[in-house]
């Protein structure tokens, strides 16, 4: 935005609330949840859902655990009306689920809405009209406050008179002063109390006052101040449920809801993954999982977030972004080397799954929402030594010595940089084996057989080819690796010292493999070190293979450097 354009905007005025209490509170329990995917979410779609799609999404919302679901605006179109009738006539609404219907404060729309409710067991009738100064001036042509209040009162009066037409339906009444966050606080209370005077809620039969941030004009702390001021000021607070309905124009819809709950609200309305007009509504999945990550039970089941995302995408035609909190394809994935190293260390230390979750860069355990560990670390040119080692360990059981990580990581990351893309797990393993495992470039070890072995002495026979020439050598030393070093020395090939050795097994059956790792340093330049890996059914042979691999890598490197 150009500096010359700034003057057309003005800051939002704060609420006068000197002794606000919400900043010192903490969330300890979940709110009442209401999904508005089938109405608010649906009206924001380029191609609205058809009835079958809405039914599939409704069933998923029920399965997740939503007990209040806004099913639409029955008076808006035949599709909306017929959808609710299908739910009723095919007995698709569980007895413990309340369906919510939205209606403007207009007589024909209200009457049509009540026709749609015939046979519903539990319903919320949600009445609304716009109350903000901006809406009064522009949408309603400079209507007065009394005229706008009269619209709400007249609608509420008609709804009350129609309750007897659905005697078998348990109805909860809800009113929204639309654009609440842009309405003068005292006027919002005045209109809400006028509706309360008509509906006469009691502590035993509460009504809902829904306070929308229809357009997110202000910062989330200001919205929280508005909610706390409202909760303090409204009469008969014990007879109402204060509900929040935030949008995301400033990108802080979730924050505004969380602070609004601290400020005293009881209930929230939102959509899966935040689908809604403009930048969207409150993201119910993110808010619920935020609470889960702080140890708060929500009553909502997002233990298979990918399945929820699949149903959502198939029926709305929308896509969940790769970086969307919790549900995105890449949100548990680290490409950065430093992140990968910290995650690997955290995962390695998690020996007891019953302990409190504490892994760097992962706010929750991906497994808890149905994600695997496969995608936690992925490798490209930005990745580090720990990431490659993590994948080799997690996916293929190769537990590299820590001092081997930099050499392997540098090699694999160099390939990713060369290819200009991410490497698959299979590619990482294939390249690791080609470069480090059972190398045969210079020395091709055909046979290593121990003929005599005591606690302090090993004698053996070696068959190999050296630069293509077949040879038979004697092995002699205080262990298998040392005996092979002796044989190489006798041929004048030993220009190195063995620095590190480690081994482990892969698998637990009789067919398990032994994996060994050996590091050597060159006599001519001790700073030049090379790791090799050996794999064999015999632990002795795997160690020898690792030595030969390290030696071959060193010889190839020497040849390339002169």
């Amino acid at each position: 935005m150009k500096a010359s354009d700034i003057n057309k905007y003005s800051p939002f005025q704060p609420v006068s609330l000197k002794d606000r209490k919400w900043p010192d509170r903490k969330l300890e329990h979940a709110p009442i949840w209401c999904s508005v995917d089938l109405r608010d979410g649906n009206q924001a779609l380029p191609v609205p859902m058809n009835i079958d799609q809405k039914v599939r999404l409704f069933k998923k919302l029920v399965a997740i655990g939503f007990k209040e679901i806004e099913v639409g605006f029955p008076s808006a179109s035949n599709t909306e009306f017929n959808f609710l009738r299908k739910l009723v006539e095919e007995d698709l609404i569980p007895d413990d689920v309340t369906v919510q219907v939205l209606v403007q404060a207009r007589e024909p729309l209200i009457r049509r809405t009540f026709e749609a409710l015939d046979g519903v067991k539990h319903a919320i009738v949600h009445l609304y009209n716009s109350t903000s100064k901006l809406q009064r001036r522009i949408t309603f042509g400079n209507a007065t406050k009394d005229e706008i209040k009269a619209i709400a009162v007249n609608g509420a009066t008609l709804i009350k008179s129609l309750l007897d037409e659905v005697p078998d339906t348990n109805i909860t009444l809800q009113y929204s002063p639309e654009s609440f966050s842009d309405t003068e606080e005292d006027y919002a209370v005045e209109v809400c109390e006028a509706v309360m005077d008509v509906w006469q809620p009691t502590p035993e039969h509460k009504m809902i006052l829904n306070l929308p941030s229809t357009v997110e004009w202000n910062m989330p702390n200001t919205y929280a101040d508005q909610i706390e001021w409202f909760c303090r000021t409204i009469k008969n607070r014990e007879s109402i449920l204060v509900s929040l309905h935030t949008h995301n124009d400033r990108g802080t819809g979730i924050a505004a809801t969380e602070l609004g709950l601290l400020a005293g609200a009881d209930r929230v309305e939102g959509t899966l993954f935040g689908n809604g007009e403009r930048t969207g509504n409150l993201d119910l999945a993110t808010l619920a999982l935020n609470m889960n990550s702080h140890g708060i039970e929500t009553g909502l089941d997002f233990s298979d977030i990918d399945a929820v995302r699949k149903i959502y995408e198939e029926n709305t035609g929308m896509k969940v972004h790769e970086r969307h909190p919790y549900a995105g394809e890449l949100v548990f994935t680290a490409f950065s080397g430093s992140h990968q190293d910290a995650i690997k260390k955290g995962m390695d230390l998690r020996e007891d799954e019953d302990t409190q979750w504490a892994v760097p860069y992962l706010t929750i355990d991906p497994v808890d929402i149905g994600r695997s560990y496969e995608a936690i670390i992925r490798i490209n040119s930005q990745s580090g030594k720990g990431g490659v080692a993590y994948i080799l360990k997690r996916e293929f059981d190769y537990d590299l010595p820590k001092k081997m990580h930099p050499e392997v990581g540098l090699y694999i990351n160099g390939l990713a940089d060369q290819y200009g893309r991410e490497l698959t797990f299979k590619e990482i393993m294939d390249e690791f084996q080609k470069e480090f495992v059972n190398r045969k470039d210079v020395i091709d070890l055909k046979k290593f057989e121990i003929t005599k072995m005591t606690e302090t002495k090993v004698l053996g026979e070696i068959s190999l080819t050296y630069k293509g020439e077949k040879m038979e050598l004697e092995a002699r030393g205080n262990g298998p690796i040392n005996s092979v070093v002796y044989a190489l020395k006798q041929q004048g090939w030993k220009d190195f010292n063995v620095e590190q050795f480690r081994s482990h097994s892969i698998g637990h059956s009789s067919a398990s493999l032994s994996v060994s790792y050996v590091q050597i340093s060159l006599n001519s330049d001790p700073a030049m070190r090379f790791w090799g890996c050996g794999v064999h059914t015999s632990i002795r042979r795997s160690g020898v293979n690792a030595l030969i691999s390290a030696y071959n890598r060193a010889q190839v490197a020497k040849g390339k450097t002169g």
Side-chain angles (χ1 to χ4, degrees):
M1 188 179 290
K2 296 179 180 179
S4 58
D5 294 330
I6 299 297
N7 292 332
K8 71 172 68 169
Y9 304 102
S10 57
F12 202 90
Q13 296 303 309
V15 179
S16 180
L17 193 65
K18 303 295 184 184
D19 57 341
R20 57 183 59 82
K21 299 292 190 296
W22 64 261
D24 295 324
R25 297 173 182 157
K26 68 175 183 177
L27 294 180
E28 295 181 329
H29 60 85
I32 300 168
W33 304 97
C34 178
S35 161
V36 295
D37 289 88
L38 299 169
R39 197 277 304 170
D40 215 345
N42 186 55
Q43 75 178 25
L45 298 176
V47 179
M49 289 180 279
N50 60 38
I51 291 178
D52 289 340
Q53 290 171 325
K54 294 185 79 170
V55 167
R56 286 194 290 270
L57 187 53
F58 176 81
K59 288 180 177 179
K60 190 61 179 178
L61 293 169
V62 170
I64 290 169
F66 288 101
K67 301 304 180 186
E68 296 183 3
I69 301 173
E70 189 166 81
V71 293
F73 202 140
S75 60
S77 68
N78 287 334
T79 298
E80 295 283 286
F81 186 94
N82 291 335
F83 168 59
L84 178 52
R85 297 313 308 156
K86 182 180 180 70
L87 294 181
V88 175
E89 291 162 8
E90 296 186 11
D91 198 22
L92 298 176
I93 306 172
D95 289 345
D96 62 346
V97 170
T98 299
V99 294
Q100 179 169 301
V101 289
L102 183 72
V103 63
Q104 289 176 309
R106 294 170 55 192
E107 182 175 350
L109 303 184
I110 292 172
R111 292 189 181 279
R112 179 67 168 164
T113 298
F114 272 79
E115 290 177 26
L117 287 175
D118 183 41
V120 174
K121 294 177 183 176
H122 304 283
I124 297 171
V125 176
H126 181 186
L127 174 73
Y128 78 97
N129 67 302
S130 295
T131 57
S132 71
K133 186 176 183 179
L134 186 63
Q135 293 273 12
R136 298 195 308 265
R137 180 172 64 86
I138 294 177
T139 306
F140 294 99
N142 290 313
T144 66
K145 289 182 176 180
D146 285 343
E147 288 171 332
I148 295 299
K149 182 171 65 174
I151 293 174
V153 169
N154 291 339
T157 301
L158 177 58
I159 286 174
K160 186 176 182 179
S161 71
L162 294 175
L163 293 179
D164 290 340
E165 295 191 4
V166 283
D168 296 327
T169 303
N170 176 29
I171 289 183
T172 298
L173 300 175
Q174 174 173 325
Y175 173 69
S176 290
E178 190 193 4
S179 303
F180 163 81
S181 60
D182 195 29
T183 299
E184 305 93 325
E185 288 81 18
D186 57 348
Y187 179 60
V189 167
E190 180 182 336
V191 176
C192 288
E193 289 185 345
V195 173
M196 291 172 65
D197 288 341
V198 176
W199 284 346
Q200 294 292 306
T202 66
E204 294 72 33
H205 197 151
K206 298 180 180 183
M207 64 172 281
I208 301 168
L209 287 176
N210 190 53
L211 307 179
S213 176
T214 306
V215 179
E216 190 178 35
W217 298 101
N218 51 16
M219 292 172 64
N221 63 298
T222 302
Y223 184 64
D225 281 348
Q226 290 176 318
I227 298 303
E228 182 168 335
W229 188 93
F230 184 93
C231 289
R232 289 190 195 181
T233 306
I234 193 75
K235 69 180 182 181
N236 300 334
R237 176 66 177 89
E238 71 283 356
S239 298
I240 62 170
L241 296 170
V242 172
S243 178
L244 307 178
H245 183 112
T246 60
H247 281 250
N248 200 43
D249 300 87
R250 293 171 51 91
T252 57
I254 293 171
T257 299
E258 290 179 328
L259 299 190
L261 290 171
L262 291 176
D266 309 294
R267 178 182 185 268
V268 298
E269 295 185 348
T271 60
L272 295 176
F273 312 121
N275 174 49
E277 294 284 9
R278 306 178 306 280
T279 58
N281 286 40
L282 163 70
D283 179 347
L284 293 171
T286 298
L287 178 60
L289 289 169
N290 283 353
M291 291 184 171
N292 286 163
S293 73
H294 286 189
I296 300 172
E297 172 57 53
T298 63
L300 301 181
D301 182 2
F302 289 106
S303 60
D304 189 351
I305 196 71
D306 288 343
V308 176
R309 185 180 69 187
K310 182 174 184 291
I311 291 291
Y312 165 84
E313 291 183 337
E314 287 177 348
N315 291 287
T316 65
M318 304 291 284
K319 294 295 181 184
V320 174
H321 193 276
E322 289 89 342
R323 296 294 181 186
H324 194 99
Y326 301 110
E329 184 74 24
L330 297 177
V331 294
F332 295 113
T333 300
F335 291 101
S336 161
S338 61
H339 288 199
Q340 291 175 346
D341 187 57
I343 290 171
K344 178 185 182 299
K345 290 176 180 176
M347 295 298 291
D348 287 345
L349 289 173
R350 278 196 60 75
E351 298 178 359
D352 183 357
E353 295 184 358
D354 292 330
T355 60
Q356 294 297 108
W357 178 256
V359 174
Y361 299 110
L362 296 179
T363 57
I364 66 171
D365 187 345
V367 171
D368 290 342
I369 57 172
R371 305 290 286 273
S372 71
Y373 288 131
E374 293 178 3
I376 288 180
I377 289 177
R378 287 160 59 174
I379 303 302
N380 62 16
S381 61
Q382 305 300 309
S383 305
K385 59 185 186 297
V388 174
Y390 174 90
I391 288 172
L392 291 174
K393 173 74 164 59
R394 175 71 62 176
E395 301 301 321
F396 304 104
D397 285 339
Y398 279 68
D399 190 7
L400 276 56
K402 186 172 180 58
K403 290 187 176 180
M404 190 179 182
H405 293 184
E407 190 171 339
V408 176
L410 184 65
Y411 176 75
I412 297 296
N413 296 153
L415 291 175
D417 192 34
Q418 176 184 329
Y419 299 155
R421 60 175 174 81
E422 178 186 349
L423 299 183
T424 67
F425 291 173
K426 183 179 184 303
E427 287 176 321
I428 292 168
M429 185 58 183
D430 289 347
E431 295 292 351
F432 171 73
Q433 289 182 319
K434 184 166 63 176
E435 176 64 23
F436 292 92
V437 180
N438 293 352
R439 290 280 294 258
K440 301 177 179 181
D441 312 66
V442 180
I443 294 177
D444 183 358
L445 184 64
K446 301 297 186 181
K447 183 180 76 171
F448 171 68
E449 182 178 342
I450 295 176
T451 57
K452 185 177 180 180
M453 185 172 184
T454 67
E455 290 184 3
T456 60
K457 190 174 184 179
V458 169
L459 295 177
E461 297 175 352
I462 298 173
S463 297
L464 56 78
T465 61
Y466 179 76
K467 297 182 178 179
E469 180 184 353
K470 295 181 179 180
M471 304 182 71
E472 302 289 331
L473 306 178
E474 178 189 30
R476 180 187 298 269
N478 58 18
I481 292 177
N482 182 256
S483 70
V484 175
V485 171
Y486 168 84
L488 300 184
K489 182 177 181 181
Q490 295 307 111
Q491 298 299 313
W493 302 339
K494 182 184 179 298
D495 59 347
F496 63 87
N497 289 309
V498 176
E499 300 287 344
Q500 305 278 339
F501 169 76
R502 181 182 167 190
S503 66
H504 64 83
S505 63
I506 294 179
H508 303 286
S509 68
S510 59
S512 64
L513 296 175
S514 176
V515 180
S516 296
Y517 311 92
V518 168
Q519 184 191 50
I520 63 173
S521 62
L522 300 186
N523 292 332
S524 57
D525 185 356
M528 293 188 67
R529 290 180 163 83
F530 296 88
W531 280 94
C533 177
V535 179
H536 200 270
T537 54
S538 163
I539 186 172
R540 296 167 185 170
R541 179 62 186 269
S542 74
V544 172
N545 286 355
L547 171 68
I548 298 300
S549 291
Y551 177 84
N552 284 333
R553 292 188 66 242
Q555 297 306 305
V556 170
K558 286 172 64 177
K560 290 180 178 178
T561 58

